[in-house]
């Protein structure tokens, strides 16, 4: 029997219309370095209509790709609103990709128009001559004359083009399965791979962000979205904000600890999201320049493991709850969120909060052992984490239908490349990424556990651990750490660690550096650290 329910598509056009009318007073605040500029959601609706009209005039039709090469700001949010809602596909370009990769993804996605921030024009200018499908570039917050157009490409002023358009747009009815936005993985191995989110997946994912077990986003929030809009759709915050009328505070290009602290002081957000390295940097800044940040009801940390010491520091020193979450570009990205079960005492609750979190109803997960197959969710069995669900990708985008990296899919499940275990009550604990686990004398060492242990020392600002070849044990851990000057020596750190990890796991090799290399989305770049090690570019202290 079929239901009697209406078959109304879940469409981002409906979401945009809803958010910008019923929540017209919510705000998009953009930091300018010395203050902020603000539009409300009503104005966001008008600007989105103008942008959609302009894009249509430039020839953008259904399913055409519109790239963005932008910071988190009001103009980027306007593209988030307009492009999917007009039936085109928003492609957020990662401004920090290596040049060859950036050119690859824009050509692979066949971007027709790209919107570029004025401050990023010098960088974009290097790529533009190689972008084979781009016909129009809109320069926002800058001078279009500063960008030289190759033959066949027209460069326009975003502001002028929008000013010439009507602030109304007849948003179409869209098939909920159609692509709304695309994001490429940052391609730590091989070419970046494209994921195309649907209207349906983004709608459902937005609802998950807003659930109380998710990020609990509501109309009462002011959300500081530090996670870039080119990194897995800023973890779904922009569209979730439209769904509940949460205001957005956008840091633009001001992503260092000091301006983030200024934004916190001026805008008093209630919620914020970023990768651990950002929070680690902010923590050290705050410890030197204390300020009240108790207006933050919660902050989400994900993208790589949140060190427990970081979570405790924010809660105990600043009264801010750090929420640990796991996900990936392929999972929209929200997979799991670490809210403990009700009624637990502090220590027990913390044990749950350290995990990568509990899966929601829409995300099924299982542990698979390479040899023995699917394992029980008993909190003991360790293997690769596989997931499936309505906002998990079923393949990688391919312009010609050829399958890209089918080894990442297993009978309808996405293979995450993460190794972990799942408890009977659905909490995921990651041991490591499969490629980062250190195999020492037949035993596994989790690089994440070692990093967490090293970073729990107050004198350590950052620490990453990689496995390096070893004649006796095949592989042994190397610690690459940033320490506060004069605070601690590698020898003392080793003694400190001896109380925290099994003696045989104690790293013999240490490199003290001024900064740990980061990836294009701000995670520790272990590939780069391996290269530095391989080239003999690290100054290493060795213990017997
Ligand atoms: P990239 O692969 O470039 O890092 P993603 O942001 O898609 O891009 O990365 C997803 C991966 O990040 C996951 O597969 C996992 O390895 C790691 N990750 C994400 N969240 C967490 C977390 N809370 N703890 C540990 N690892 C995490």
């Amino acid at each position: 029997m079929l239901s009697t329910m209406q078959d109304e598509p879940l469409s981002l056009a409906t979401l945009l219309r809803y958010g910008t009318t019923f929540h017209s007073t919510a705000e998009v605040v953009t930091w300018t370095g010395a203050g902020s500029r603000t539009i409300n959601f009503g104005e966001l609706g008008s600007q989105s209509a103008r942008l959609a009209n302009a894009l249509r005039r430039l020839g953008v039709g259904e399913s055409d790709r519109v790239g963005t090469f932008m910071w988190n700001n009001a103009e980027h949010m306007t593209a988030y609103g307009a492009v999917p809602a007009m039936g085109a596909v928003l492609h957020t370009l990662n401004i920090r990709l290596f040049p060859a990769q950036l050119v690859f993804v824009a050509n692979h996605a066949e971007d027709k128009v790209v919107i570029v921030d004025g401050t990023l024009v010098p960088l974009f200018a290097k790529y533009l001559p190689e972008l084979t499908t781009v016909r129009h570039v809109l320069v926002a917050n800058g001078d279009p004359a500063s960008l030289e157009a190759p033959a066949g490409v027209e460069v326009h002023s975003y502001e002028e083009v929008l000013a010439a358009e009507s602030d109304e747009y007849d948003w179409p009815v869209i098939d909920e399965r159609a692509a709304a936005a695309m994001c490429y993985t940052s391609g730590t191995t091989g070419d970046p791979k494209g994921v195309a989110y649907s209207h349906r997946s983004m709608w459902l994912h937005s609802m998950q962000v807003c659930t109380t077990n998710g990020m609990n986003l509501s109309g009462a929030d002011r959300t500081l979205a530090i996670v870039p809009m080119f990194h897995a759709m800023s973890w779904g915050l922009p569209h979730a904000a439209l769904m509940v009328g949460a205001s957005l505070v956008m840091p633009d290009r001001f992503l260092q600890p000091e301006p983030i602290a200024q934004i916190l002081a001026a805008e008093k957000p209630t919620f914020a999201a970023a990768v651990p390295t950002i929070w680690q940097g902010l923590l050290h800044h705050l410890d030197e320049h204390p300020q009240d940040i108790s207006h933050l009801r919660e902050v989400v940390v994900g993208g790589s493991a949140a060190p427990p010491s970081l979570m405790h520091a924010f809660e105990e020193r600043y009264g801010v709850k750090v929420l640990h979450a796991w996900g990936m570009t392929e999972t929209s990205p929200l997979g799991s969120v670490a809210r403990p079960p009700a009624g637990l005492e502090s220590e027990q609750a913390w044990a749950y909060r350290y995990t990568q979190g509990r899966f929601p109803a829409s995300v099924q997960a299982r542990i698979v052992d390479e040899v023995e197959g699917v394992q029980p969710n008993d909190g003991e069995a360790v293997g690769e984490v596989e997931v499936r669900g309505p906002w998990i990708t079923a393949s990688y985008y391919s312009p010609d239908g050829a399958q890209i990296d089918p080894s990442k899919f297993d009978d309808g499940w996405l293979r995450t490349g993460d190794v972990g275990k799942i408890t009977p009550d659905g909490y995921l604990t990651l041991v490591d990424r499969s490629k980062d686990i250190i195999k020492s004398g037949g035993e596994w060492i989790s690089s994440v556990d070692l990093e967490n242990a090293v970073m729990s020392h107050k004198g350590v600002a950052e620490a990453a651990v990689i496995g390096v070849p070893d004649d006796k044990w095949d592989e042994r851990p190397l610690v690459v750490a940033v320490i506060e000057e004069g605070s601690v020596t590698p020898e003392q750190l080793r003694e400190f660690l001896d109380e925290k990890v099994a003696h045989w796991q104690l790293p013999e090799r240490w490199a003290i550096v001024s900064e740990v290399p980061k990836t294009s989305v701000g995670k520790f770049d272990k590939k780069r650290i391996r290269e530095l090690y391989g080239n003999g570019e690290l100054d290493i202290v060795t213990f017997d």
Side-chain angles (χ1 to χ4, degrees):
M1 184 178 111
L2 282 179
S3 79
T4 61
M5 292 297 111
Q6 299 181 5
D7 212 5
E8 183 66 23
L10 304 175
S11 145
L12 297 190
T14 311
L15 188 58
L16 179 69
R17 209 182 295 115
Y18 169 79
T20 56
T21 50
F22 285 9
H23 295 285
S24 61
T25 57
E27 294 176 340
V28 184
V29 177
T30 304
W31 192 247
T32 61
S36 58
R37 55 191 172 93
T38 299
I39 60 169
N40 64 32
F41 276 17
E43 289 161 325
L44 175 68
S46 310
Q47 286 295 88
S48 300
R50 290 176 190 277
L51 177 58
N53 280 315
L55 291 172
R56 188 165 58 178
R57 198 180 298 280
L58 296 177
V60 172
E62 196 180 300
S63 290
D64 280 341
R65 266 73 74 196
V66 176
T68 51
F69 195 77
M70 307 176 85
W71 304 110
N72 288 18
N73 55 27
E75 292 69 34
H76 208 166
M77 185 61 197
T78 306
Y80 261 60
V83 177
M86 69 184 288
V89 180
L90 176 76
H91 175 202
T92 53
L93 290 159
N94 179 341
I95 60 173
R96 301 204 188 94
L97 279 185
F98 289 115
Q101 290 187 329
L102 193 283
V103 169
F104 170 84
V105 300
N107 289 340
H108 191 257
E110 299 172 70
D111 294 341
K112 199 165 180 178
V113 176
V114 181
I115 310 174
V116 182
D117 268 321
T119 54
L120 295 170
V121 162
L123 185 58
F124 186 70
K126 295 187 194 151
Y127 308 136
L128 184 56
E130 293 181 61
L131 305 186
T132 52
T133 59
V134 173
R135 295 290 160 262
H136 296 276
V137 178
L138 301 181
V139 176
N141 305 311
D143 179 8
S146 61
L147 182 61
E148 197 180 321
V153 178
E154 287 176 37
V155 179
H156 315 262
S157 152
Y158 170 95
E159 288 78 14
E160 277 174 25
V161 164
L162 263 65
E165 298 290 346
S166 154
D167 61 2
E168 293 199 4
Y169 191 89
D170 191 13
W171 302 110
V173 175
I174 301 169
D175 182 337
E176 65 175 21
R177 294 163 305 172
M182 304 184 73
C183 222
Y184 280 72
T185 62
S186 45
T188 35
T189 49
D191 286 332
K193 294 182 288 254
V195 172
Y197 308 114
S198 66
H199 285 260
R200 172 185 156 83
S201 72
M202 291 180 76
W203 181 288
L204 294 172
H205 182 268
S206 300
M207 292 185 79
Q208 183 60 33
V209 169
C210 299
T211 60
T212 39
N213 279 357
M215 296 191 202
N216 197 8
L217 206 67
S218 82
D221 279 313
R222 285 171 75 74
T223 304
L224 176 60
I226 305 175
V227 50
M229 294 171 93
F230 56 73
H231 183 201
M233 309 306 292
S234 200
W235 298 352
L237 292 170
H239 286 105
L242 280 172
M243 186 166 268
V244 292
S247 287
L248 287 163
V249 180
M250 299 301 205
D252 201 83
R253 59 188 186 282
F254 305 99
L255 297 167
Q256 298 305 314
E258 195 177 341
I260 296 284
Q262 287 168 352
I263 299 172
L264 291 172
E267 299 301 330
K268 306 244 177 311
T270 58
F271 186 78
V275 292
T277 49
I278 296 265
W279 296 118
Q280 204 83 43
L282 181 67
L283 179 66
H284 281 265
H285 174 85
L286 290 175
D287 284 348
E288 276 163 33
H289 311 276
Q291 99 187 29
D292 177 21
I293 56 164
S294 60
H295 44 85
L296 286 164
R297 68 165 170 82
E298 267 174 351
V299 299
V300 169
V301 180
S304 34
S309 53
L310 178 80
M311 300 173 75
H312 281 282
F314 269 98
E315 185 144 327
E316 285 147 24
R317 307 219 276 274
Y318 296 97
V320 172
K321 189 166 176 185
V322 173
L323 194 59
H324 192 195
W326 168 88
M328 54 202 298
T329 302
E330 290 89 333
T331 67
S332 288
L334 200 52
S336 51
V337 178
R339 294 188 185 280
L344 292 185
E345 293 301 319
S346 144
E347 282 298 302
Q348 288 172 305
W350 271 110
Y352 276 99
R353 288 180 56 193
Y354 299 153
T355 72
Q356 271 66 21
R358 194 185 233 169
F359 289 103
S362 298
V363 181
Q364 298 168 53
R366 65 182 192 181
I367 296 294
V368 180
D369 179 87
E370 223 176 315
V371 179
E372 301 189 355
V374 179
Q375 299 295 300
N377 289 347
D378 58 4
E380 303 275 333
V382 173
E384 182 169 10
V385 181
E386 295 190 353
V387 289
R388 57 187 291 169
W391 59 78
I392 311 295
T393 200
S395 62
Y396 290 108
Y397 169 69
S398 161
D400 55 12
Q403 273 199 329
I404 292 179
D405 206 349
S407 69
K408 287 285 285 179
F409 302 92
D410 173 15
D411 197 22
W413 297 75
L414 170 77
R415 296 181 57 187
T416 62
D418 288 334
V419 175
K421 52 192 178 183
I422 301 174
T423 56
D425 51 355
Y427 284 82
L428 169 71
T429 297
L430 286 192
V431 175
D432 218 330
R433 277 188 168 189
S434 53
K435 55 180 183 284
D436 294 334
I437 287 184
I438 300 158
K439 293 168 196 92
S440 172
E443 298 283 344
W444 281 7
I445 301 178
S446 158
S447 67
V448 174
D449 285 352
L450 279 183
E451 284 162 8
N452 285 344
V454 179
M455 282 192 279
S456 68
H457 191 287
K458 258 198 104 174
V460 177
E462 290 180 342
V465 173
I466 60 162
V468 297
D470 183 273
D471 289 343
K472 188 165 174 202
W473 304 105
D474 292 338
E475 234 182 9
R476 289 295 294 161
L478 159 73
V479 182
V480 178
V482 178
I483 54 178
E484 311 223 322
E485 230 181 289
S487 62
V488 61
T489 63
E491 189 158 22
Q492 289 164 332
L493 274 176
R494 240 172 80 91
E495 281 161 23
F496 172 77
L497 220 57
D498 206 7
E499 290 161 20
K500 304 201 172 286
V501 303
H503 190 71
W504 64 271
Q505 300 191 346
L506 268 189
E508 300 80 13
R509 297 169 179 87
W510 295 73
I512 303 305
V513 293
S514 57
E515 196 187 348
V516 176
K518 313 275 183 337
T519 70
S520 61
V521 292
K523 306 183 191 184
F524 294 142
D525 190 345
K526 298 198 177 178
K527 192 175 151 203
R528 179 79 192 120
I529 300 173
R530 285 187 193 104
E531 273 170 17
L532 290 175
Y533 179 78
N535 298 342
E537 289 177 56
L538 291 174
D539 216 352
I540 297 186
V541 182
T542 309
F543 299 88
D544 293 333

